[in-house]
Amino acid sequence: MISQIRKLMRDNHVTQRDLAHELGISEQTICDKFHGRSNFTLRDVLRIADFFDVSVDSLLGREPLEVK
């Protein structure tokens, strides 16, 4: 899932700071999530999928990552 999120961030020029702001969490918390020290919550996953306009399945790697 992290690789899909990183790809979406790169393709859309979104920084970790931007994503943290969108999720309503601190930059340190998003950093911890990207480095495996903390897990993404279901709420995080849903918000990320909505933010990038992709399906949750594609975000989780269950189907190809395609923007709607």
Side-chain angles (χ1 to χ4, degrees), residues 48-59:
I48 292 168
D50 287 345
F51 179 70
F52 288 111
D53 196 24
V54 297
S55 71
V56 171
D57 280 342
S58 65
L59 196 60

Side-chain angles (χ1 to χ4, degrees), residues 3-66:
S3 63
Q4 285 88 343
I5 296 171
R6 286 191 190 278
K7 180 179 181 348
L8 287 166
M9 290 172 64
R10 187 174 46 253
D11 292 350
N12 292 282
H13 309 287
V14 173
T15 64
Q16 282 190 10
R17 174 180 282 168
D18 297 333
L19 190 58
H21 177 73
E22 181 64 29
L23 298 178
I25 59 178
S26 71
E27 290 178 55
Q28 182 60 52
T29 300
I30 197 78
C31 182
D32 288 344
K33 291 175 187 278
F34 275 105
H35 288 93
R37 294 184 290 266
S38 179
N39 293 319
F40 284 94
T41 65
L42 179 56
R43 178 179 172 251
D44 295 336
V45 172
L46 293 171
R47 284 187 168 194
I48 292 168
D50 287 345
F51 179 70
F52 288 111
D53 196 24
V54 297
S55 71
V56 171
D57 280 342
S58 65
L59 196 60
L60 297 175
R62 295 177 53 150
E63 60 184 41
L65 189 58
E66 296 178 14

